[in-house]
Coordinates of all heavy atoms in Angstrom, one line a residue:
R1 N 101.0 117.9 94.5 CA 100.3 116.8 95.2 C 100.1 115.6 94.3 O 100.1 114.5 94.9 CB 99.0 117.4 95.7 CG 99.2 118.4 96.8 CD 97.8 119.0 97.3 NE 98.1 119.8 98.5 CZ 98.0 119.3 99.8 NH1 97.8 118.1 100.0 NH2 98.3 120.1 100.8
A2 N 100.0 115.8 93.1 CA 99.8 114.6 92.2 C 101.1 113.8 92.2 O 101.1 112.5 92.2 CB 99.5 115.1 90.8
T3 N 102.2 114.5 92.2 CA 103.5 113.8 92.3 C 103.7 113.0 93.6 O 104.2 111.9 93.6 CB 104.7 114.8 92.1 OG1 104.5 115.5 90.9 CG2 106.0 114.1 92.1
L4 N 103.2 113.5 94.7 CA 103.3 112.9 96.0 C 102.1 111.9 96.2 O 102.1 111.1 97.2 CB 103.3 113.9 97.1 CG 103.8 113.5 98.4 CD1 105.2 112.9 98.4 CD2 103.8 114.6 99.4
G5 N 101.1 111.9 95.3 CA 100.0 110.9 95.5 C 99.1 111.3 96.6 O 98.5 110.4 97.3
I6 N 98.8 112.6 96.8 CA 97.9 113.0 97.9 C 96.8 113.9 97.4 O 96.4 114.8 98.0 CB 98.7 113.7 99.0 CG1 99.5 114.9 98.5 CG2 99.6 112.7 99.8 CD1 100.2 115.7 99.6
L7 N 96.2 113.5 96.2 CA 95.1 114.2 95.6 C 93.8 113.8 96.4 O 93.7 112.8 97.0 CB 95.0 113.9 94.2 CG 96.1 114.4 93.3 CD1 96.0 113.8 91.9 CD2 96.1 115.9 93.2
S8 N 92.8 114.7 96.3 CA 91.6 114.5 96.9 C 90.8 113.4 96.1 O 91.0 113.2 95.0 CB 90.8 115.8 97.0 OG 90.6 116.3 95.7
P9 N 89.7 112.8 96.8 CA 89.0 111.8 96.1 C 88.3 112.2 94.8 O 88.0 111.3 93.9 CB 88.0 111.3 97.1 CG 88.6 111.7 98.4 CD 89.3 113.0 98.2
N10 N 87.9 113.4 94.7 CA 87.2 113.9 93.5 C 88.2 114.2 92.3 O 87.8 114.7 91.3 CB 86.3 115.1 93.8 CG 87.1 116.3 94.2 OD1 88.1 116.2 94.8 ND2 86.6 117.5 93.8
A11 N 89.5 114.0 92.5 CA 90.5 114.3 91.4 C 90.4 113.1 90.4 O 90.2 112.0 90.7 CB 91.9 114.4 92.0
R12 N 90.6 113.5 89.1 CA 90.6 112.5 88.1 C 91.7 112.8 87.1 O 91.8 113.9 86.5 CB 89.3 112.5 87.4 CG 89.1 111.6 86.2 CD 87.7 111.2 85.9 NE 86.8 112.3 85.9 CZ 86.3 113.0 84.8 NH1 86.8 112.6 83.6 NH2 85.5 114.0 84.9
V13 N 92.6 111.8 86.9 CA 93.7 111.9 85.9 C 93.2 111.4 84.6 O 92.7 110.3 84.4 CB 94.9 111.1 86.3 CG1 96.0 111.2 85.2 CG2 95.5 111.6 87.6
E14 N 93.2 112.3 83.6 CA 92.7 111.9 82.2 C 93.7 111.3 81.4 O 93.5 110.3 80.6 CB 92.1 113.2 81.5 CG 90.9 113.8 82.2 CD 90.4 115.0 81.4 OE1 91.2 116.0 81.3 OE2 89.3 114.9 80.9
S15 N 95.0 111.8 81.4 CA 96.0 111.3 80.6 C 97.4 111.9 81.1 O 97.4 112.7 81.9 CB 95.8 111.6 79.1 OG 95.8 113.1 78.9
G16 N 98.4 111.4 80.5 CA 99.8 111.8 80.8 C 100.5 110.9 81.8 O 99.9 109.8 82.2
S17 N 101.7 111.2 82.1 CA 102.5 110.4 83.0 C 103.3 111.2 84.0 O 103.7 112.3 83.7 CB 103.4 109.5 82.2 OG 104.4 110.3 81.4
I18 N 103.7 110.6 85.1 CA 104.6 111.1 86.1 C 105.6 110.0 86.3 O 105.3 109.0 86.9 CB 103.9 111.5 87.4 CG1 102.8 112.5 87.2 CG2 105.0 112.0 88.4 CD1 102.0 112.8 88.5
R19 N 106.9 110.2 85.8 CA 107.9 109.2 86.0 C 109.0 109.8 87.0 O 109.5 110.9 86.8 CB 108.6 108.9 84.6 CG 107.6 108.3 83.6 CD 108.3 107.7 82.4 NE 109.0 106.5 82.8 CZ 108.5 105.3 82.9 NH1 107.2 105.1 82.6 NH2 109.2 104.3 83.2
F20 N 109.3 108.9 87.9 CA 110.2 109.3 89.0 C 111.3 108.2 89.0 O 111.1 107.0 89.2 CB 109.6 109.3 90.3 CG 110.5 109.5 91.5 CD1 111.2 110.6 91.7 CD2 110.7 108.4 92.3 CE1 112.1 110.8 92.8 CE2 111.6 108.5 93.4 CZ 112.3 109.7 93.6
D21 N 112.5 108.6 88.6 CA 113.7 107.7 88.6 C 113.4 106.5 87.7 O 113.7 105.4 88.0 CB 114.1 107.3 90.0 CG 115.5 106.8 90.0 OD1 116.3 107.0 89.1 OD2 115.9 106.1 91.0
G22 N 112.6 106.7 86.6 CA 112.3 105.7 85.7 C 111.0 104.9 86.0 O 110.5 104.1 85.2
N23 N 110.4 105.2 87.2 CA 109.2 104.5 87.6 C 107.9 105.3 87.3 O 107.9 106.5 87.5 CB 109.2 104.2 89.1 CG 110.3 103.3 89.5 OD1 110.3 102.2 89.2 ND2 111.3 103.9 90.3
D24 N 106.9 104.7 86.7 CA 105.7 105.3 86.4 C 104.8 105.4 87.7 O 104.3 104.4 88.1 CB 104.9 104.5 85.3 CG 103.6 105.1 85.0 OD1 103.3 106.2 85.4 OD2 102.8 104.4 84.3
L25 N 104.8 106.6 88.3 CA 104.1 106.7 89.6 C 102.6 106.5 89.4 O 101.9 106.0 90.3 CB 104.4 108.1 90.2 CG 105.8 108.4 90.5 CD1 105.9 109.7 91.3 CD2 106.5 107.2 91.4
L26 N 102.0 107.0 88.3 CA 100.5 106.8 88.2 C 100.1 105.4 88.0 O 99.0 105.0 88.3 CB 100.1 107.7 87.0 CG 100.2 109.2 87.2 CD1 99.7 109.9 85.9 CD2 99.5 109.7 88.4
G27 N 101.0 104.6 87.4 CA 100.7 103.2 87.2 C 101.3 102.2 88.2 O 101.1 101.0 88.2
M28 N 102.0 102.7 89.2 CA 102.6 101.9 90.2 C 101.6 101.3 91.2 O 100.6 101.9 91.5 CB 103.7 102.7 91.0 CG 104.4 101.9 92.0 SD 105.7 102.9 92.9 CE 106.9 103.1 91.6
D29 N 101.9 100.1 91.6 CA 101.0 99.4 92.6 C 101.0 100.3 93.9 O 102.0 100.8 94.4 CB 101.6 98.1 93.0 CG 100.9 97.4 94.1 OD1 99.7 97.1 94.0 OD2 101.5 97.3 95.2
P30 N 99.8 100.6 94.4 CA 99.6 101.6 95.5 C 100.4 101.1 96.7 O 101.0 102.0 97.5 CB 98.1 101.6 95.8 CG 97.5 101.2 94.5 CD 98.5 100.2 93.8
V31 N 100.5 99.8 97.0 CA 101.2 99.4 98.2 C 102.7 99.6 98.0 O 103.4 100.1 98.9 CB 101.0 97.9 98.4 CG1 101.8 97.3 99.5 CG2 99.5 97.6 98.7
R32 N 103.2 99.4 96.8 CA 104.6 99.6 96.5 C 104.9 101.1 96.6 O 106.0 101.6 97.2 CB 105.0 99.1 95.2 CG 106.5 99.3 94.9 CD 106.8 98.9 93.4 NE 108.2 99.3 93.1 CZ 108.6 99.5 91.9 NH1 107.8 99.3 90.8 NH2 109.9 99.9 91.7
F33 N 104.0 101.9 96.1 CA 104.2 103.4 96.1 C 104.3 103.9 97.6 O 105.1 104.7 97.9 CB 103.0 104.1 95.4 CG 103.1 105.6 95.4 CD1 104.0 106.2 94.5 CD2 102.4 106.3 96.3 CE1 104.0 107.6 94.5 CE2 102.4 107.7 96.3 CZ 103.3 108.4 95.4
Q34 N 103.4 103.3 98.4 CA 103.4 103.7 99.8 C 104.7 103.3 100.5 O 105.2 104.1 101.3 CB 102.2 103.1 100.5 CG 102.0 103.5 102.0 CD 101.6 104.9 102.2 OE1 101.0 105.5 101.3 NE2 102.0 105.5 103.3
R35 N 105.1 102.1 100.2 CA 106.3 101.6 100.9 C 107.6 102.3 100.5 O 108.5 102.6 101.3 CB 106.4 100.1 100.7 CG 105.4 99.3 101.4 CD 105.6 97.8 101.1 NE 104.6 97.0 101.7 CZ 104.5 95.7 101.6 NH1 105.3 95.0 100.7 NH2 103.6 94.9 102.2
E36 N 107.8 102.4 99.1 CA 109.1 102.8 98.6 C 109.2 104.2 98.3 O 110.3 104.8 98.3 CB 109.3 101.9 97.3 CG 109.4 100.4 97.6 CD 109.7 99.7 96.3 OE1 110.0 100.3 95.3 OE2 109.5 98.4 96.3
I37 N 108.1 104.9 97.9 CA 108.2 106.3 97.4 C 107.7 107.3 98.3 O 108.4 108.2 98.7 CB 107.5 106.3 96.0 CG1 108.0 105.3 95.0 CG2 107.7 107.7 95.4 CD1 109.4 105.4 94.6
K38 N 106.4 107.3 98.6 CA 105.8 108.3 99.4 C 106.3 108.5 100.8 O 106.4 107.5 101.5 CB 104.3 108.0 99.4 CG 103.5 109.1 100.1 CD 102.0 108.8 100.1 CE 101.2 109.8 100.9 NZ 99.7 109.4 100.9
G39 N 106.8 109.6 101.1 CA 107.3 109.9 102.4 C 108.7 109.3 102.7 O 109.3 109.4 103.8
R40 N 109.3 108.6 101.6 CA 110.6 108.0 101.8 C 111.5 108.6 100.7 O 112.5 109.3 101.1 CB 110.4 106.5 101.7 CG 111.6 105.7 102.2 CD 111.4 104.2 102.3 NE 112.5 103.6 103.0 CZ 112.5 102.3 103.2 NH1 111.6 101.5 102.7 NH2 113.6 101.7 103.8
R41 N 111.3 108.3 99.5 CA 112.2 108.8 98.4 C 111.6 110.2 97.9 O 112.4 111.0 97.4 CB 112.3 107.8 97.2 CG 113.0 106.5 97.6 CD 113.3 105.7 96.4 NE 114.2 106.4 95.5 CZ 114.4 106.0 94.2 NH1 113.8 105.0 93.7 NH2 115.3 106.7 93.5
I42 N 110.3 110.4 98.1 CA 109.8 111.7 97.9 C 109.1 112.2 99.2 O 108.2 111.6 99.7 CB 108.7 111.7 96.7 CG1 109.3 111.2 95.4 CG2 108.2 113.1 96.5 CD1 108.3 111.1 94.3
T43 N 109.6 113.3 99.7 CA 109.1 113.9 100.9 C 108.5 115.3 100.7 O 108.6 115.8 99.6 CB 110.2 113.9 102.0 OG1 111.3 114.7 101.6 CG2 110.6 112.5 102.3
F44 N 107.9 115.8 101.7 CA 107.0 117.0 101.6 C 107.3 118.0 102.7 O 107.4 117.6 103.9 CB 105.6 116.5 101.6 CG 104.5 117.6 101.3 CD1 104.5 118.3 100.1 CD2 103.6 117.9 102.3 CE1 103.5 119.2 99.9 CE2 102.6 118.8 102.0 CZ 102.6 119.5 100.8
I45 N 107.4 119.3 102.3 CA 107.4 120.4 103.3 C 106.2 121.2 103.0 O 106.0 121.8 102.0 CB 108.7 121.3 103.1 CG1 110.0 120.4 103.3 CG2 108.7 122.4 104.1 CD1 111.2 121.2 103.0
P46 N 105.2 121.2 104.0 CA 103.9 121.9 103.8 C 104.0 123.4 103.9 O 105.0 124.0 104.4 CB 103.0 121.3 104.8 CG 104.0 121.0 106.0 CD 105.3 120.6 105.3
Q47 N 103.0 124.1 103.5 CA 102.9 125.5 103.7 C 102.8 125.9 105.2 O 103.4 126.9 105.6 CB 101.6 126.1 103.0 CG 101.6 126.0 101.5 CD 100.4 126.7 100.9 OE1 99.7 127.5 101.6 NE2 100.0 126.3 99.7
D48 N 102.0 125.2 105.9 CA 101.6 125.6 107.3 C 102.3 124.8 108.3 O 102.0 123.6 108.6 CB 100.1 125.4 107.4 CG 99.6 125.8 108.8 OD1 100.4 126.5 109.5 OD2 98.5 125.5 109.2

């Protein structure tokens, strides 16, 4: 879920990085992440 950017509000990243195709997902502009990555280049198959 951290990779897909769908963590709950009480989640806190202390350190580290998630890089996707050279892009730093944790530092990426949220609008750009929503437009270019989430649900588009990275998609999700849920449990239920």
